[in-house]
Structure formats: C-alpha cells, structure tokens
Amino acid sequence: MTKPLYYAEGRNIHKRPIEEKTDTGTSITLGFRCAVADRIVGEEGAQTIAELMNRGEAAPSLLEALEKIAETCNDSADAKAIAAANIALQAIASARWER
C-alpha cells in the first residue's frame, strides 16, 4: 500500500516527496511543509486536513474512472447513480480550487 501524499506531523501538514522512474533514471520531487494548523485546530485537526487534501488529490482519477464506466453503462439506474457520483466528485474538485 502506498503512503498518502499529504500527512500531518503534529500541527504541521506536509506533502511527501515523490519518486518516479523515468527513461533516464529517477525523478525526485522534494517534499515540503505546506500548512500549519493553529492551536485551536490542533494536531487532530491537522490530521483531518491532511486526509481531506488526500481525497482532493484522488478526485481527478475518480472522475476519469467514472467517465469510462458511464460510457459502457447500459442500465439507466446505474447510469443515474454514476452521474450523481460524477457531479459530487466535480463539486469536491472545484471546491478544492476555489479556496
């Protein structure tokens, strides 16, 4: 199982380094602290923020998968459920970038 991209350490929220194999070797993107939760939010809130950020990272992949499933779906009830899930994921993705 891969580690989530964002994680909390105390009140600090970090983005993990990313290592990818390329044709010529390995590409490494450095990790960094991307946010600090204030004392009111605390460590538990920082963990929640990191989890929500990870969900936001997954939204584009989920949207793509839903679109592929919808293309092959024949049952109208299934198509409606997929359309509803697609709308919800689009709302999540757009809300993430509006802030």
Side-chain angles (χ1 to χ4, degrees):
M1 185 170 146
T2 61
K3 294 180 180 179
L5 186 58
Y6 296 97
Y7 66 97
E9 189 173 84
R11 292 184 2 229
N12 296 310
I13 302 160
H14 299 271
K15 186 171 183 179
R16 224 174 265 294
I18 300 171
E19 186 174 326
E20 296 178 313
K21 300 292 181 195
T22 66
D23 293 339
T24 58
T26 302
S27 170
I28 299 175
T29 303
L30 298 178
F32 56 92
R33 183 178 71 187
C34 53
V36 179
D38 65 17
R39 283 178 274 152
I40 295 170
V41 172
E43 292 182 16
E44 187 176 330
Q47 182 63 40
T48 300
I49 292 167
E51 289 171 11
L52 290 170
M53 291 174 75
N54 284 315
R55 290 180 189 176
E57 286 293 319
S61 299
L62 293 171
L63 283 170
E64 184 178 336
L66 280 172
E67 288 169 359
K68 288 180 181 178
I69 292 168
E71 289 172 4
T72 61
C73 185
N74 294 326
D75 183 83
S76 63
D78 288 343
K80 287 179 183 177
I82 290 167
N86 196 348
I87 290 167
L89 284 170
Q90 288 176 359
I92 291 167
S94 66
R96 181 169 182 258
W97 296 112
E98 287 175 3
R99 294 182 179 195

